[in-house]
Amino acid sequence: MDAKDRTEIEQWLRETDEQRLSQLWTAADAVRREHVGDAVHLRGLLEISNWCVRRCAYCGLSADNRQMQRYRMSADEILQCVHEAQAYGYGTVVMQAGEDYGITTEWLAQIVRRIKAETPLAVTLSMGERPHEDLQTWRHAGADRYLLRFETSDRKLYETIHPSRPGQEYDRFDMLRQLKQIGYEVGSGVMVGIPGQTYGTLARDIELFRELDLDMIGVGPYIENPLTPLGKGEIDLGGPELIPKQDASATLKSHTVPNTELMTYKVVALSRIMCPEANIPSTTALATVNRANGRELGLMRGANVVMPNVTPMEYRTKYEIYPGKACLNETANQCQGCLKGRIAAIGRELGTGCGGRRKKSIDAI
Ligand code: 5AD
Ligand code: FES
């Protein structure tokens, strides 16, 4: 099993032969076992605010979505959920929000300090593109990790679906480097099958996971949200010069990546092979496209992390990035029982401790 460069990765992404694919799953699972072991780490996911100033064309939290009722949890509510996550035995709490400047630098720093003082949990933040000084302040307050998906390495596609705010240009790759330099463990990733994504770009994305030396890699299928411009088909993705008129559907079919469950497993498996030590979650989006056993198959094809939701019910139903999200109507307690059962059923262990990246020295490889 080889997947050393972009061409090989692209071949694997296009692979349809079941036997070859089963070799890919086996190889990814072996690399996972050898480098990060059988433990599945549980991260409690807390969606602390659904306010967002951005207008991403794919995302339900977009500021343009006026149908969404907005919320921001209070500090005490957050702390209560964090203690609940600790009681369930989770080693990490992941606080996620839209890009919400109502979450002020100092307010969140204070919350991070309280969590670090009151619990042994690792703290992961996923707050979008924030200024350098915010990232630094939160790191000094004790935050351990930061998640920021780059979504796609195709700059033109990125700018089309992810408009920057006037006068506020951020480069996510630059931010990922800053985060690492500030001392965070850094996570990134992409959506699989976002309209306009080609096999070549997706192969490049996976190659970049390694070049960026990511500590965490999150990938999930793109799920169409009818409340967004992409879901409504309002976005022009390419222009006629890219698609010969006589054969538009055939050309699109051969070049763009489908947002399927199978394609997502391929990306999970290839990410594991390219980045053996990374922490890779089997994501909620994957569970959404296959409720029966999407999470398990992710874990059996390279992933070693799951993120049970600990957001209180009244808020969780309002954090609707895409429709039909798994666990929307389950309580934190139900999710922990569900996931622990699923992990046991596939013969894996529950992780203990914070489950940070285990870096092997070059000599040890
Ligand atoms: N389908 C799947 N994933 C999505 N995300 C945002 N919108 C969608 C969607 N429609 C993902 C993005 C973001 C993460 C928090 O959720 O990759 O980084
Ligand atoms: Fe939430 Fe299964 S993880 S119900």
Side-chain angles (χ1 to χ4, degrees):
M1 162 73 229
D2 237 358
K4 290 203 182 60
D5 62 26
R6 218 185 303 181
T7 324
E8 279 167 297
I9 297 172
E10 190 173 332
Q11 275 164 7
W12 277 111
L13 293 174
R14 291 178 185 272
E15 185 61 65
T16 53
D17 183 80
E18 279 188 24
Q19 258 185 334
R20 295 269 298 151
L21 285 174
S22 86
Q23 285 168 10
L24 178 64
W25 315 143
T26 307
D29 199 42
V31 173
R32 188 269 309 152
R33 186 174 310 116
E34 182 186 342
H35 291 268
V36 293
D38 277 337
V40 176
H41 298 286
L42 297 141
R43 328 281 201 209
L45 175 64
L46 187 52
E47 295 151 336
I48 66 173
S49 160
N50 69 353
W51 286 94
C52 191
V53 296
R54 304 301 292 267
R55 302 182 143 78
C56 303
Y58 47 84
C59 180
L61 304 194
S62 163
D64 285 332
N65 182 1
R66 315 248 173 240
Q67 297 192 33
M68 178 163 276
Q69 237 191 318
R70 305 286 171 166
Y71 72 87
R72 186 178 303 120
M73 291 175 67
S74 73
D76 286 338
E77 285 174 321
I78 292 171
L79 263 292
Q80 203 178 340
C81 294
V82 171
H83 283 289
E84 191 178 349
Q86 186 191 355
Y88 293 142
Y90 305 164
T92 300
V93 63
V94 180
M95 287 189 277
Q96 190 177 78
E99 208 168 297
D100 173 15
Y101 292 89
I103 295 179
T104 63
T105 320
E106 199 34 55
W107 182 78
L108 186 57
Q110 187 60 34
I111 288 171
V112 173
R113 280 192 288 270
R114 279 180 67 187
I115 297 173
K116 297 307 277 189
E118 295 174 25
T119 77
L121 300 189
V123 172
T124 303
L125 300 178
S126 179
M127 297 288 140
E129 296 171 7
R130 300 280 300 221
H132 186 267
E133 61 185 271
D134 291 4
L135 305 174
Q136 206 148 30
T137 304
W138 296 333
R139 174 77 188 126
H140 287 152
D144 302 278
R145 309 180 189 138
Y146 203 98
L147 303 177
L148 183 74
R149 291 188 181 177
F150 62 79
E151 314 294 4
T152 173
S153 56
D154 177 340
R155 217 165 242 285
K156 189 157 174 284
L157 176 60
Y158 182 81
E159 281 163 13
T160 308
I161 62 177
H162 194 278
S164 52
R165 288 189 298 150
Q168 302 275 340
E169 305 282 327
Y170 281 97
D171 177 336
R172 287 202 173 189
F173 293 105
D174 194 44
M175 265 195 73
L176 291 170
R177 276 184 283 272
Q178 281 180 40
L179 286 161
K180 185 182 275 234
Q181 189 245 325
I182 295 170
Y184 283 99
E185 274 191 38
V186 179
S188 193
V190 298
M191 282 173 284
V192 176
I194 187 101
Q197 181 184 57
T198 65
Y199 283 96
T201 328
L202 184 55
R204 175 68 188 136
D205 295 344
I206 297 171
E207 198 179 43
L208 270 167
F209 295 164
R210 178 154 76 189
E211 283 173 27
L212 293 166
D213 188 27
L214 295 176
D215 302 301
M216 300 164 283
I217 300 165
V219 296
Y222 162 70
I223 299 168
E224 195 170 271
N225 185 334
L227 298 176
T228 61
L230 255 191
K232 290 181 199 153
E234 290 171 0
I235 304 273
D236 178 11
L237 288 164
E241 78 279 6
L242 295 177
I243 309 161
K245 279 199 182 66
Q246 0 29 323
D247 195 16
S249 65
T251 308
L252 268 177
K253 255 194 202 124
S254 63
H255 289 293
T256 60
V257 176
N259 61 338
T260 56
E261 185 189 351
L262 179 66
M263 190 59 66
T264 309
Y265 298 133
K266 290 184 192 175
V267 178
V268 169
L270 291 164
S271 302
R272 170 58 67 202
I273 289 163
M274 293 293 281
C275 308
E277 312 161 345
N279 282 317
I280 302 181
S282 190
T283 55
T284 307
L286 197 44
T288 301
V289 293
N290 176 355
R291 277 164 204 271
N293 63 352
R295 277 223 183 78
E296 288 88 331
L297 287 172
L299 289 173
M300 291 160 73
R301 295 171 175 181
N304 70 321
V305 167
V306 288
M307 297 169 69
N309 202 317
V310 292
T311 311
M313 294 306 292
E314 53 180 314
Y315 301 129
R316 151 181 335 217
T317 48
K318 299 190 173 86
Y319 202 84
E320 210 169 5
I321 294 180
Y322 48 78
K325 200 171 139 202
C327 306
L328 214 59
N329 299 307
E330 269 74 27
T331 63
N333 193 29
Q334 283 170 320
C335 285
Q336 66 114 17
C338 167
L339 282 176
K340 286 177 182 170
R342 287 172 190 263
I343 291 165
I346 58 167
R348 299 274 279 277
E349 300 156 12
L350 290 180
T352 51
C354 291
R357 175 173 176 188
R358 283 195 267 166
K359 271 196 189 171
K360 293 205 175 86
S361 75
I362 297 292
D363 310 343
I365 295 175

